Coordinates of all heavy atoms in Angstrom, one line a residue:
V57 N -3.0 42.6 11.2 CA -4.0 43.5 11.6 C -3.4 44.5 12.7 O -3.7 45.7 12.6 CB -5.2 42.8 12.1 CG1 -6.2 43.7 12.9 CG2 -6.0 42.1 11.0
R58 N -2.7 43.9 13.6 CA -2.1 44.8 14.6 C -1.2 45.9 14.0 O -1.3 47.1 14.4 CB -1.2 43.9 15.6 CG -1.1 44.4 17.0 CD -0.3 43.5 17.9 NE 1.1 43.4 17.4 CZ 2.0 44.2 17.7 NH1 1.8 45.3 18.4 NH2 3.3 44.1 17.2
Q59 N -0.4 45.5 13.0 CA 0.5 46.4 12.4 C -0.3 47.5 11.6 O 0.0 48.7 11.7 CB 1.4 45.7 11.4 CG 2.3 44.6 12.0 CD 3.6 45.2 12.6 OE1 3.9 46.4 12.3 NE2 4.3 44.5 13.3
F60 N -1.3 47.0 10.9 CA -2.1 48.0 10.1 C -2.9 49.0 11.0 O -3.0 50.1 10.7 CB -3.1 47.3 9.1 CG -2.4 46.4 8.1 CD1 -2.9 45.2 7.7 CD2 -1.2 46.9 7.5 CE1 -2.3 44.5 6.7 CE2 -0.6 46.1 6.5 CZ -1.1 44.9 6.1
D61 N -3.4 48.4 12.1 CA -4.1 49.3 13.0 C -3.2 50.3 13.6 O -3.6 51.5 13.8 CB -4.7 48.4 14.2 CG -6.1 47.8 13.8 OD1 -6.4 48.0 12.6 OD2 -6.7 47.1 14.6
L62 N -1.9 49.9 13.8 CA -0.9 50.9 14.3 C -0.7 52.0 13.4 O -0.7 53.2 13.7 CB 0.4 50.1 14.6 CG 1.4 50.8 15.4 CD1 1.0 50.7 16.9 CD2 2.8 50.1 15.3
M63 N -0.6 51.6 12.1 CA -0.4 52.7 11.0 C -1.6 53.6 11.0 O -1.5 54.8 11.0 CB -0.3 52.0 9.6 CG 0.9 51.3 9.4 SD 0.9 50.5 7.8 CE 2.1 49.3 8.0
L64 N -2.8 53.0 11.1 CA -4.0 53.8 11.0 C -4.2 54.7 12.2 O -4.8 55.8 12.2 CB -5.2 52.9 10.7 CG -5.3 52.4 9.3 CD1 -6.3 51.2 9.2 CD2 -5.7 53.4 8.3
E65 N -3.7 54.2 13.3 CA -3.7 54.9 14.6 C -3.0 56.3 14.4 O -3.5 57.3 14.8 CB -3.1 54.1 15.7 CG -3.5 54.5 17.1 CD -5.0 54.5 17.3 OE1 -5.7 53.6 16.7 OE2 -5.5 55.4 17.9
N66 N -1.8 56.2 13.7 CA -1.1 57.4 13.4 C -1.9 58.4 12.5 O -1.9 59.6 12.7 CB 0.2 57.1 12.8 CG 1.3 56.6 13.8 OD1 1.8 57.5 14.5 ND2 1.5 55.4 13.9
A67 N -2.5 57.8 11.5 CA -3.4 58.6 10.6 C -4.5 59.3 11.4 O -4.8 60.5 11.2 CB -3.9 57.7 9.5
K68 N -5.1 58.5 12.3 CA -6.2 59.0 13.1 C -5.7 60.2 14.0 O -6.4 61.2 14.1 CB -6.8 57.9 14.0 CG -8.0 58.3 14.7 CD -8.7 57.1 15.4 CE -9.9 57.5 16.2 NZ -9.6 58.4 17.4
L69 N -4.5 60.0 14.6 CA -4.0 61.0 15.5 C -3.8 62.3 14.7 O -4.2 63.4 15.2 CB -2.6 60.6 16.1 CG -2.7 59.6 17.3 CD1 -1.3 59.2 17.7 CD2 -3.4 60.4 18.5
A70 N -3.2 62.2 13.5 CA -3.0 63.4 12.7 C -4.3 64.0 12.3 O -4.5 65.2 12.4 CB -2.2 62.9 11.4
A71 N -5.3 63.2 11.9 CA -6.6 63.7 11.5 C -7.3 64.4 12.7 O -7.9 65.5 12.4 CB -7.4 62.5 11.0
D72 N -7.2 63.8 13.9 CA -7.8 64.4 15.0 C -7.3 65.9 15.2 O -8.1 66.8 15.6 CB -7.5 63.6 16.3 CG -8.3 62.3 16.4 OD1 -9.3 62.2 15.5 OD2 -8.0 61.4 17.2
I73 N -6.0 66.0 15.0 CA -5.4 67.4 15.3 C -5.8 68.3 14.2 O -6.1 69.5 14.4 CB -3.8 67.2 15.4 CG1 -3.6 66.5 16.7 CG2 -3.1 68.6 15.3 CD1 -2.1 66.1 16.9
V74 N -5.8 67.8 12.9 CA -6.0 68.7 11.8 C -7.4 69.1 11.5 O -7.7 70.2 11.0 CB -5.3 68.1 10.5 CG1 -5.6 68.8 9.3 CG2 -3.8 68.0 10.8
L75 N -8.3 68.2 11.8 CA -9.7 68.4 11.4 C -10.3 69.7 11.9 O -11.0 70.4 11.1 CB -10.6 67.2 12.0 CG -12.1 67.2 11.6 CD1 -12.2 67.0 10.1 CD2 -12.9 66.2 12.4
P76 N -10.0 70.2 13.1 CA -10.6 71.5 13.5 C -10.1 72.6 12.6 O -10.8 73.7 12.6 CB -10.1 71.7 15.0 CG -9.7 70.3 15.4 CD -9.3 69.6 14.2
Q77 N -9.0 72.4 11.9 CA -8.4 73.5 11.1 C -9.2 73.6 9.7 O -9.0 74.6 9.0 CB -6.9 73.2 10.7 CG -6.1 72.8 11.9 CD -5.9 74.0 12.9 OE1 -5.9 75.2 12.5 NE2 -5.8 73.7 14.2
A78 N -9.9 72.5 9.4 CA -10.6 72.5 8.1 C -11.5 73.7 8.0 O -12.2 74.1 8.9 CB -11.4 71.2 7.9
G79 N -11.5 74.4 6.8 CA -12.3 75.6 6.6 C -11.4 76.9 6.7 O -11.8 77.9 6.1
R80 N -10.3 76.7 7.4 CA -9.4 77.9 7.5 C -8.6 78.1 6.2 O -8.5 77.1 5.4 CB -8.4 77.7 8.7 CG -9.1 77.8 10.0 CD -8.2 77.7 11.2 NE -7.2 78.8 11.1 CZ -6.1 78.8 11.9 NH1 -5.8 77.8 12.7 NH2 -5.2 79.8 11.8
D81 N -8.1 79.2 6.0 CA -7.4 79.5 4.8 C -6.2 78.6 4.7 O -5.5 78.3 5.7 CB -6.9 81.0 4.9 CG -6.4 81.4 3.5 OD1 -7.0 81.0 2.5 OD2 -5.3 82.0 3.5
C82 N -5.9 78.1 3.5 CA -4.8 77.1 3.3 C -3.5 77.7 3.7 O -2.7 77.0 4.3 CB -4.8 76.7 1.8 SG -3.6 75.4 1.5
A83 N -3.3 79.0 3.4 CA -1.9 79.5 3.7 C -1.7 79.5 5.2 O -0.5 79.3 5.7 CB -1.9 81.0 3.2
Q84 N -2.8 79.6 6.0 CA -2.6 79.6 7.5 C -2.4 78.2 8.0 O -1.7 78.0 9.1 CB -3.8 80.2 8.1 CG -3.9 81.7 7.9 CD -5.2 82.2 8.4 OE1 -6.2 81.5 8.8 NE2 -5.3 83.6 8.5
V85 N -2.9 77.2 7.4 CA -2.8 75.8 8.0 C -1.8 74.9 7.3 O -1.5 73.8 7.8 CB -4.2 75.1 8.0 CG1 -5.1 75.8 8.9 CG2 -4.8 75.0 6.6
E86 N -1.3 75.4 6.1 CA -0.4 74.5 5.3 C 0.7 74.0 6.2 O 1.1 72.8 6.1 CB 0.2 75.4 4.2 CG 0.7 74.7 3.1 CD 1.2 75.7 2.0 OE1 0.7 76.9 2.0 OE2 2.0 75.3 1.2
L87 N 1.3 74.8 7.0 CA 2.5 74.4 7.8 C 2.1 73.3 8.8 O 2.8 72.3 9.1 CB 3.0 75.6 8.6 CG 4.6 75.7 8.6 CD1 5.1 75.8 7.1 CD2 5.0 76.8 9.4
A88 N 0.9 73.5 9.4 CA 0.4 72.5 10.4 C 0.2 71.1 9.7 O 0.5 70.1 10.3 CB -0.9 73.0 11.0
L89 N -0.2 71.2 8.4 CA -0.4 69.9 7.7 C 1.0 69.2 7.6 O 1.2 68.0 7.8 CB -1.0 70.1 6.3 CG -2.4 70.8 6.3 CD1 -2.9 70.7 4.9 CD2 -3.4 70.1 7.3
R90 N 2.0 70.0 7.1 CA 3.3 69.5 6.9 C 3.9 68.9 8.2 O 4.6 67.9 8.2 CB 4.2 70.5 6.3 CG 3.8 70.7 4.8 CD 4.9 71.4 4.0 NE 4.3 71.7 2.7 CZ 4.2 72.9 2.2 NH1 4.7 74.0 2.8 NH2 3.6 73.1 1.0
E91 N 3.6 69.7 9.3 CA 4.2 69.2 10.6 C 3.7 67.8 10.9 O 4.5 66.9 11.3 CB 3.7 70.2 11.7 CG 4.4 69.9 13.0 CD 3.7 70.6 14.1 OE1 2.9 71.5 13.9 OE2 3.9 70.1 15.3
Q92 N 2.4 67.5 10.6 CA 1.9 66.2 10.9 C 2.6 65.1 10.0 O 2.9 64.0 10.5 CB 0.3 66.2 10.6 CG -0.5 66.9 11.7 CD -0.2 66.4 13.1 OE1 -0.1 65.2 13.4 NE2 0.1 67.3 14.0
V93 N 2.8 65.5 8.8 CA 3.5 64.5 7.9 C 4.9 64.2 8.4 O 5.3 63.0 8.4 CB 3.6 65.1 6.4 CG1 4.5 64.2 5.6 CG2 2.3 65.3 5.8
T94 N 5.5 65.2 9.0 CA 6.9 65.0 9.5 C 6.9 64.2 10.8 O 7.7 63.3 11.0 CB 7.6 66.3 9.8 OG1 7.1 67.2 8.8 CG2 9.1 66.2 9.7
R95 N 5.9 64.5 11.6 CA 5.9 63.9 12.9 C 5.3 62.5 13.0 O 5.7 61.7 13.8 CB 5.0 64.7 13.9 CG 5.6 66.0 14.3 CD 4.7 66.8 15.1 NE 4.4 66.1 16.3 CZ 4.3 66.7 17.5 NH1 4.4 68.0 17.6 NH2 4.0 66.0 18.6
R96 N 4.4 62.2 12.0 CA 3.7 60.9 12.1 C 4.4 59.8 11.2 O 4.5 60.1 10.0 CB 2.2 61.0 11.7 CG 1.5 62.0 12.5 CD 1.1 61.5 13.8 NE 0.7 62.7 14.6 CZ 0.8 62.7 16.0 NH1 1.2 61.7 16.6 NH2 0.4 63.8 16.6
P97 N 4.8 58.7 11.7 CA 5.3 57.7 10.8 C 4.2 57.2 9.9 O 3.1 57.3 10.2 CB 5.8 56.6 11.8 CG 5.2 56.9 13.1 CD 4.8 58.3 13.1
Y98 N 4.6 56.7 8.8 CA 3.8 56.0 7.7 C 3.0 57.0 7.0 O 2.4 56.7 5.9 CB 2.8 55.0 8.3 CG 3.4 54.0 9.3 CD1 3.0 54.0 10.6 CD2 4.4 53.1 8.8 CE1 3.6 53.1 11.5 CE2 5.0 52.2 9.8 CZ 4.6 52.2 11.1 OH 5.1 51.4 12.0
V99 N 2.8 58.3 7.5 CA 1.9 59.2 6.8 C 2.6 59.9 5.6 O 3.8 60.3 5.7 CB 1.5 60.3 7.8 CG1 0.7 61.4 7.1 CG2 0.6 59.7 8.9
R100 N 1.9 59.9 4.5 CA 2.5 60.4 3.3 C 2.1 61.8 3.0 O 2.9 62.7 2.6 CB 2.1 59.5 2.1 CG 2.7 59.8 0.8 CD 2.2 58.7 -0.2 NE 2.8 58.9 -1.5 CZ 2.2 59.6 -2.5 NH1 1.0 60.2 -2.2 NH2 2.7 59.8 -3.7
S101 N 0.8 62.0 3.2 CA 0.3 63.4 3.0 C -1.0 63.7 3.8 O -1.7 62.7 4.2 CB -0.1 63.6 1.5 OG -1.2 62.9 1.2
V102 N -1.2 64.9 4.1 CA -2.4 65.3 4.9 C -3.2 66.3 4.0 O -2.6 67.3 3.5 CB -2.0 66.0 6.2 CG1 -3.2 66.4 7.0 CG2 -1.2 65.0 7.1
N103 N -4.5 66.1 3.9 CA -5.3 67.0 3.0 C -6.5 67.5 3.7 O -7.2 66.7 4.4 CB -5.7 66.2 1.8 CG -4.6 65.4 1.1 OD1 -3.8 65.9 0.3 ND2 -4.4 64.1 1.6
L104 N -6.7 68.8 3.5 CA -7.9 69.3 4.2 C -9.1 69.4 3.2 O -8.9 69.7 2.0 CB -7.6 70.8 4.7 CG -7.0 70.8 6.1 CD1 -6.8 72.3 6.5 CD2 -7.8 70.1 7.1
V105 N -10.3 69.1 3.7 CA -11.5 69.1 2.8 C -12.5 70.1 3.4 O -12.7 70.1 4.6 CB -12.0 67.6 2.8 CG1 -13.3 67.6 2.1 CG2 -11.0 66.6 2.3
W106 N -13.2 70.7 2.5 CA -14.3 71.6 2.9 C -15.4 71.2 1.9 O -15.3 71.3 0.7 CB -14.0 73.1 2.9 CG -15.2 73.9 3.3 CD1 -16.0 74.6 2.6 CD2 -15.6 74.1 4.7 NE1 -16.9 75.2 3.3 CE2 -16.7 74.9 4.6 CE3 -15.1 73.6 5.9 CZ2 -17.4 75.3 5.8 CZ3 -15.8 74.0 7.0 CH2 -17.0 74.8 7.0

Side-chain angles (χ1 to χ4, degrees):
V57 166
R58 207 179 64 81
Q59 300 275 348
F60 295 143
D61 278 4
L62 197 75
M63 290 179 197
L64 287 165
E65 202 54 38
N66 279 287
K68 184 174 178 294
L69 280 175
D72 286 346
I73 288 171
V74 171
L75 185 68
Q77 314 291 330
R80 290 182 60 193
D81 189 43
C82 184
Q84 288 175 349
V85 292
E86 201 176 339
L87 222 64
L89 302 190
R90 286 195 189 125
E91 188 195 342
Q92 287 306 316
V93 174
T94 326
R95 287 178 63 143
R96 307 281 166 207
Y98 313 115
V99 173
R100 182 176 182 271
S101 71
V102 179
N103 311 276
L104 274 186
V105 174
W106 182 257

